[in-house]
């Protein structure tokens, strides 16, 4: 009676192997909810890629709080993507873990503070991109270079660029930012890059052949072959429904006759929770408006599918289950049947992950 993620193991592993082959120096990103697959599983799978002969010597985690979960399951280096700050769990690392951690730094004052605390710290310097999220500007990167030339005990593991997801190619931006990297005269020849295509990475490698390019890949690695993944929910109960019959927590009345399905999967799993819309295309915006019209009418399309159609929620999802409206004339599932579910993997927690 669970919300289950089914993984075609052979197909998924073949995809991981292909991505690692196409991306020399790959740093798998293992963060958040583990892209629905869980952090421990991804950390172990990154180690498996290394055992297959790929040069996966580093994984990238999102925060310092995630280090403990992955450190015992992957024996390589651990790059933290969130920039180091002089507060929080980053100040509580034990000595053994500190030796494996590579800190991302994006402010000069943080670099000074970190090296005062840990003179031999290993750091990646993040150059601010058009995302305007973290990182040094050009002047700050040059100042960091001057500081590091006087702090010889520090180990500079590279320069990082975190780029936007959409809006076309970002290669021109990276090439422009590389002028700042060269001008800063940093003691490193390694670049850590997120969100460049394979062709863009190849061009960058040709243009800066004296640099090692390390692609950081999360979604494209773990979720890049959606055909290897399937999500199912279990039908927990089926109730005939008369038009006008009252049901649910909120005492709603049925708009028409049919059936009420109670299925596994609710807000505790991430079902029915939505993030702000990030689409800029006209068609995607029209879909958002259409969903808003359904909401205004007291209806909302669920991610649960019966006979190839996403069915309407009967009311907002409960914590661990959801209620669906099935119109008269539709095939009625049996208790125990499985329904396909469309989910956003990065915001969904599954009761079980089954790898075939």
């Amino acid at each position: 009676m669970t919300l289950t993620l089914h993984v075609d193991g052979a197909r998924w592993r073949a995809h991981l192997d292909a991505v690692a082959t196409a991306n020399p120096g790959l740093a798998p990103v293992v963060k958040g909810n583990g892209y629905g697959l869980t952090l421990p599983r991804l950390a172990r799978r990154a180690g498996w890629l290394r055992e297959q002969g790929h040069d996966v010597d580093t994984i990238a985690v999102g925060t310092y709080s995630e280090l403990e979960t992955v450190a015992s399951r992957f024996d390589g280096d651990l790059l933290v993507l969130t920039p180091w700050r002089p507060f929080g769990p980053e100040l509580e690392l034990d000595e053994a873990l500190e030796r494996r951690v590579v800190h991302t730094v994006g402010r000069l004052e943080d670099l000074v503070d970190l090296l005062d605390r840990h003179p031999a710290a290993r750091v990646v310097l993040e150059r601010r991109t058009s995302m305007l999220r973290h990182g040094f500007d050009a002047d700050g990167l040059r100042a960091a270079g001057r500081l590091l030339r006087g702090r010889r005990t520090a180990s500079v593991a590279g320069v990082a660029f975190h780029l936007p997801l959409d809006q076309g190619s970002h290669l021109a931006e990276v090439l422009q930012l590389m002028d700042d990297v060269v001008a800063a005269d940093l003691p490193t020849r390694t670049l850590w890059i997120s969100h460049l295509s394979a062709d863009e990475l190849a061009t960058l490698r040709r243009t800066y052949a004296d640099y090692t390019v390390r692609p950081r890949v999360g979604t494209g690695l773990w979720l890049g072959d959606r055909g290897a993944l399937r999500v199912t929910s279990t039908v927990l109960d089926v109730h005939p429904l008369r038009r006008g019959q009252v049901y649910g927590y909120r005492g709603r009345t049925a708009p028409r006759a049919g059936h009420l399905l109670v299925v596994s999967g609710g807000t505790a799993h991430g079902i029915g929770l939505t993030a702000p819309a990030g689409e800029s295309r006209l068609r995607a915006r029209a879909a958002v408006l259409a969903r808003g019209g359904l909401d205004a009418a007291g209806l909302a399309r669920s991610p649960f599918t019966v006979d190839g159609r996403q069915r309407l929620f009967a009311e907002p999802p409960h914590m661990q289950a959801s209620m669906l409206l099935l119109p008269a004339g539709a095939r009625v599932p049996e208790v125990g049947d499985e329904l396909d579910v469309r989910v956003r993997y990065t915001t969904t927690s599954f009761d079980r992950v089954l790898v075939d």
Side-chain angles (χ1 to χ4, degrees):
M1 309 300 183
T2 56
L3 188 71
T4 303
L5 171 58
H6 304 264
V7 182
D8 182 334
R11 179 170 172 173
W12 187 55
R13 289 187 292 272
H15 168 74
L16 301 183
D17 184 72
V19 173
T21 299
N23 289 274
L26 173 71
V29 177
V30 180
K31 66 179 183 177
N33 71 337
Y35 298 85
L37 293 147
T38 73
L39 293 177
R41 177 174 282 102
L42 297 192
R44 289 192 296 268
R45 192 51 58 184
W48 173 83
L49 284 170
R50 191 175 184 179
E51 292 169 0
Q52 301 308 301
H54 298 291
D55 51 345
V56 178
D57 59 7
T58 304
I59 62 174
V61 301
T63 68
Y64 286 87
S65 298
E66 294 167 347
L67 287 170
E68 185 177 355
T69 302
V70 303
S72 62
R73 296 170 172 90
F74 178 81
D75 61 4
D77 291 337
L78 307 168
L79 170 64
V80 183
L81 298 177
T82 298
W84 187 91
R85 293 288 188 263
F87 47 77
E90 47 263 61
L91 303 184
E92 303 168 2
L93 300 180
D94 62 47
E95 184 177 348
L97 188 55
E98 178 73 40
R99 288 195 295 268
R100 297 174 57 195
V101 170
V102 181
H103 306 277
T104 297
V105 183
R107 303 191 309 170
L108 188 63
E109 57 266 42
D110 291 338
L111 182 59
V112 172
D113 198 334
L114 173 59
L115 296 182
D116 284 345
R117 297 170 187 266
H118 302 286
R122 303 163 67 196
V123 298
V124 163
L125 305 178
E126 182 158 350
R127 173 61 173 98
R128 190 182 309 157
T129 70
S130 58
M131 279 188 66
L132 293 180
R133 190 165 73 167
H134 305 299
F136 292 99
D137 60 13
D139 291 339
L141 201 61
R142 287 193 292 271
R146 290 192 295 271
L147 173 67
L148 288 163
R149 286 193 292 276
R151 301 282 191 110
R152 299 292 184 177
T153 58
S155 174
V156 184
V159 178
F161 300 104
H162 197 96
L163 298 157
L165 282 170
D166 297 319
Q167 304 172 354
S169 172
H170 299 288
L171 180 60
E173 178 181 354
V174 172
L175 295 177
Q176 182 179 3
L177 294 175
M178 280 300 298
D179 292 340
D180 301 330
V181 174
V182 173
D185 191 22
L186 301 169
T188 182
R189 285 294 184 270
T190 299
L191 306 174
W192 302 83
I193 308 286
S194 298
H195 305 146
L196 281 188
S197 70
D199 289 342
E200 290 169 335
L201 287 168
T203 300
L204 180 62
R205 287 188 171 101
R206 289 193 301 270
T207 306
Y208 287 93
D210 55 333
Y211 280 80
T212 298
V213 177
R214 302 290 306 269
R216 301 179 304 200
V217 185
T219 302
L221 176 65
W222 307 119
L223 303 178
D225 183 359
R226 296 300 175 92
L229 309 173
R230 177 177 174 239
V231 179
T232 62
S233 164
T234 306
V235 177
L236 304 177
D237 254 312
V238 181
H239 306 294
L241 200 60
R242 303 185 309 275
R243 181 179 179 182
Q245 185 173 354
V246 177
Y247 64 84
Y249 276 138
R250 295 161 180 82
R252 292 191 175 189
T253 56
R256 61 185 65 88
H259 284 82
L260 188 70
L261 302 185
V262 183
V263 299
S264 57
T267 56
H269 302 90
I271 298 295
L273 306 181
T274 59
E279 292 282 2
S280 58
R281 292 168 296 180
L282 184 60
R283 183 176 180 180
R285 289 180 176 181
V288 171
L289 289 173
R291 289 195 297 270
L294 284 172
D295 289 343
L299 301 171
R301 183 172 288 111
S302 82
F304 301 93
T305 300
V306 179
D307 289 344
R309 297 184 61 181
Q310 286 181 252
R311 299 302 176 174
L312 297 177
F313 281 120
E315 66 173 0
H318 305 168
M319 182 174 285
Q320 293 176 314
S322 294
M323 301 176 77
L324 313 178
L325 289 174
L326 193 63
R331 182 186 66 83
V332 181
E334 301 284 342
V335 171
D337 283 354
E338 290 188 337
L339 307 181
D340 287 329
V341 192
R342 296 179 60 182
V343 301
R344 184 176 179 181
Y345 290 90
T346 54
T347 59
T348 305
S349 297
F350 300 100
D351 295 310
R352 293 191 303 172
V353 179
L354 301 180
V355 182
D356 299 336

